[in-house]
Amino acid sequence: MTQQTAADTAAWTGAAAILFDLDGVLTPTATVHERAWQELFDGYLASQPGVSGYSESDYFDHIDGKPRFDGVRDFLASRGLTLPEGPLDDDPSNDTVQGLGNRKNAIFNDIVSAGVEPFEGSVRFLQAALGRGLKVAVVSSSRNAPAVLKAAGLSHHFAVVVDGVVAAERGLPGKPSPATYEYAAKLLDLSSSGCVVVEDAVSGVQAGHAGSFHSVIGVDRGAGRQTLLDAGATLVVNDLQELLP
């Protein structure tokens, strides 16, 4: 554990709540999402001659932290490709935006069905926050957030979960808009200024920076420390345990 600094302490001192992203912050499922996206687009692009293949940087450049179908659209746009939208419940075998998104979801669920082990440092930080009487919520672009929380044994800590399903039902724009984080603060009966946003994705940090939040803590799981700072993070750590005394 690194030595705690005054900036680390100030990042959440005086806050009333911690709003956690899920994948990559509480659980290592961001890597599962990366694998699922790569499998999806490797398969799809194989049928698109002359189009450059999927690379690791594509996940961070076009997909990470966004609602699933926005990720499909933005990746396709990066290759100059467009597809019909299709219905929300489109068959995963169909080459539509919704079909590809649902295909990715099926791949993801197959991988996580064996269980999810949360980040140890994140669990310790969560317990410390609860021990200090802070409220907590999860704000995730994923429509699988409740299932992932249950698989990780964390669901009992979070009465408030604003995920992709809630965002769609409420008509809330996804990250980098701050709307889902602002809605979580509202559900906790708090103003945004009393809430800390914890994020590993550039779009999520941008969402926190765009709102009037207490602070934005970036967790570097691969996006890069300076990239997260440039996106608006108050500070960046490698592990949330670094914020503990």
Side-chain angles (χ1 to χ4, degrees), residues 95-206:
D95 285 345
T96 63
V97 169
Q98 305 292 333
L100 289 182
N102 293 336
R103 193 182 311 170
K104 180 264 172 183
N105 193 49
I107 297 168
F108 176 84
N109 285 328
D110 284 344
I111 298 172
V112 300
S113 60
V116 175
E117 189 69 29
F119 289 112
E120 183 177 346
S122 296
V123 173
R124 289 179 179 176
F125 178 74
L126 168 62
Q127 291 171 338
L130 292 170
R132 294 187 186 189
L134 274 68
K135 296 181 179 181
V136 296
V138 163
V139 181
S140 172
S141 296
S142 174
R143 290 171 175 260
N144 300 307
V148 171
L149 285 169
K150 182 177 180 180
L154 297 175
S155 56
H156 62 289
H157 291 303
F158 296 100
V160 171
V161 177
V162 179
D163 66 353
V165 174
V166 173
E169 290 175 347
R170 295 287 175 176
L172 303 173
K175 306 168 187 178
S177 166
T180 50
Y181 276 111
E182 291 169 344
Y183 185 61
K186 179 180 179 180
L187 293 178
L188 292 174
D189 293 322
L190 294 171
S191 67
S192 296
S193 62
C195 301
V196 176
V197 169
V198 185
E199 269 283 355
D200 71 309
V202 171
S203 60
V205 169
Q206 290 171 333

Side-chain angles (χ1 to χ4, degrees), residues 12 25 38 42 48 53 55 57 61 78 90 93 117 121 125 135 165 170 172 193 205 208-209 221 229 232 239 241:
W12 64 304
V25 170
Q38 175 148 14
D42 280 347
Q48 303 297 313
S55 66
S57 62
D61 291 343
S78 76
D90 206 354
S93 65
E117 189 69 29
F125 178 74
K135 296 181 179 181
V165 174
R170 295 287 175 176
L172 303 173
S193 62
V205 169
H209 182 66
R221 306 289 193 195
L229 288 172
D239 191 288
Q241 185 169 303

Side-chain angles (χ1 to χ4, degrees), residues 35-51:
R35 287 170 55 194
W37 282 110
Q38 175 148 14
E39 184 173 333
L40 169 71
F41 285 123
D42 280 347
Y44 173 71
L45 292 177
S47 65
Q48 303 297 313
V51 178

